[in-house]
């Protein structure tokens, strides 16, 4: 559609293969998963430098760490459209001050973004209920999904309507939207 696409993440065989397949340019960034103030500050300036050099029209950052650093750097660079993709909340299984810090990082990421894309209705509800972002700022694409679904794999023409009905009945899913349906019979393990 005329966009020049970049992927900002650590360099690996996987990311290089992905960029080649998607016709994107890799922008390698060194970043650690765990909190490390000195390393995170280095990563922030690395991201800031890349954004100042490229001056993109749109950015979309996801995952808690690069989401936070990328959203702050994007706001500092006055990027016209800033999107934060919320793929999950790292704080959900934490307690005490760590939970509060992680919730604050999510809130800052959302504050720096023009829009927050949530990958599921429950994630959106949790973010709104925990006052991390406003419902008006958040969007949910269709019924939610991180990377979409392979329509060929879940093509309902590959199985009959009768098989679908039987499987939905077996799992108590009548009158329910179903992403995918496996016809593998699940039996009790033998003792």
């Amino acid at each position: 559609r005329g966009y020049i696409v970049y992927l900002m993440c650590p360099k690996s065989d996987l990311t290089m293969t992905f960029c080649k397949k998607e016709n994107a340019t890799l922008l390698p960034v060194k970043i650690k998963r765990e909190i490390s103030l000195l390393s995170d500050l280095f990563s922030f300036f690395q991201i800031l430098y890349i954004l100042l050099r490229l001056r993109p029209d749109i950015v979309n950052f996801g995952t808690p760490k690069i989401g936070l650093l990328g959203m702050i750097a994007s706001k500092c660079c006055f990027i016209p459209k800033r999107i934060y993709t919320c793929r999950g909340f790292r704080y959900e299984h934490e307690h005490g001050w760590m939970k509060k810090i992680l919730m604050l990082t999510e809130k800052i990421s959302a504050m720096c973004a023009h829009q927050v894309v949530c990958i599921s209705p429950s994630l959106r509800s949790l973010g709104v209920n925990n006052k991390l972002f406003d419902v008006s700022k958040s969007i949910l694409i269709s019924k939610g999904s991180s990377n979409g679904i392979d329509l060929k794999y879940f093509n309902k023409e590959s199985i009959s309507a009768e098989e679908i009905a039987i499987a939905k009945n077996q799992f108590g899913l009548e009158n329910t939207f179903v992403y995918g349906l496996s016809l593998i019979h699940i039996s009790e393990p033998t003792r």
Side-chain angles (χ1 to χ4, degrees):
R1 298 188 179 198
Y3 291 101
I4 300 170
V5 179
Y6 298 92
L7 177 65
M8 188 182 298
C9 63
K11 186 177 182 179
S12 70
D13 290 340
L14 180 66
T15 57
M16 290 187 307
T17 301
F18 178 84
C19 284
K20 186 175 181 180
K21 179 182 169 209
E22 297 294 328
N23 195 27
T25 302
L26 180 65
L27 302 171
V29 175
K30 291 183 180 177
I31 192 162
K32 292 182 178 179
R33 285 185 69 91
E34 68 279 352
I35 296 172
S36 171
L37 293 180
L38 192 57
S39 176
D40 294 344
L41 192 60
F42 175 79
S43 297
F44 171 77
F45 283 112
Q46 205 178 5
I47 294 166
L48 187 67
Y49 172 76
I50 291 168
L51 293 176
L52 285 170
R53 188 171 45 92
L54 286 177
R55 292 288 181 189
D57 295 316
I58 304 168
V59 294
N60 181 345
F61 286 99
T63 74
K65 174 71 78 75
I66 202 160
L68 174 67
L69 301 177
M71 286 289 98
I72 294 171
S74 299
K75 179 119 176 145
C76 291
C77 293
F78 303 102
I79 305 298
K81 291 288 179 193
R82 299 180 302 274
I83 301 165
Y84 176 52
T85 300
C86 187
R87 300 181 186 284
F89 294 122
R90 167 89 170 64
Y91 69 82
E92 284 187 275
H93 304 288
E94 296 292 341
H95 302 284
W97 62 271
M98 180 56 87
K99 182 172 186 167
K100 289 179 182 175
I101 288 172
L102 293 172
M103 288 179 78
L104 178 63
T105 63
E106 290 291 344
K107 192 170 196 160
I108 291 169
S109 297
M111 285 173 31
C112 292
H114 290 106
Q115 280 194 312
V116 178
V117 175
C118 298
I119 66 162
S120 72
S122 60
L123 196 60
R124 183 181 192 194
S125 294
L126 187 59
V128 170
N129 292 340
N130 285 330
K131 297 181 178 17
L132 303 178
F133 46 80
D134 192 72
V135 71
S136 64
K137 192 179 223 182
S138 65
I139 64 169
L140 180 66
I141 299 172
S142 187
K143 295 182 185 288
S145 173
S146 183
N147 295 317
I149 58 172
D150 181 348
L151 296 177
K152 291 177 188 165
Y153 184 79
F154 293 107
N155 183 351
K156 68 183 199 179
E157 272 83 52
S158 65
I159 57 175
S160 72
E162 183 182 348
E163 289 173 308
I164 292 172
I166 290 169
K168 281 180 132 186
N169 184 33
Q170 178 185 356
F171 295 107
L173 299 172
E174 301 90 349
N175 302 317
T176 305
F177 174 82
V178 178
Y179 252 13
L181 189 59
S182 173
L183 297 178
I184 298 171
H185 178 69
I186 300 170
S187 60
E188 288 290 318
T190 55
R191 295 179 193 244

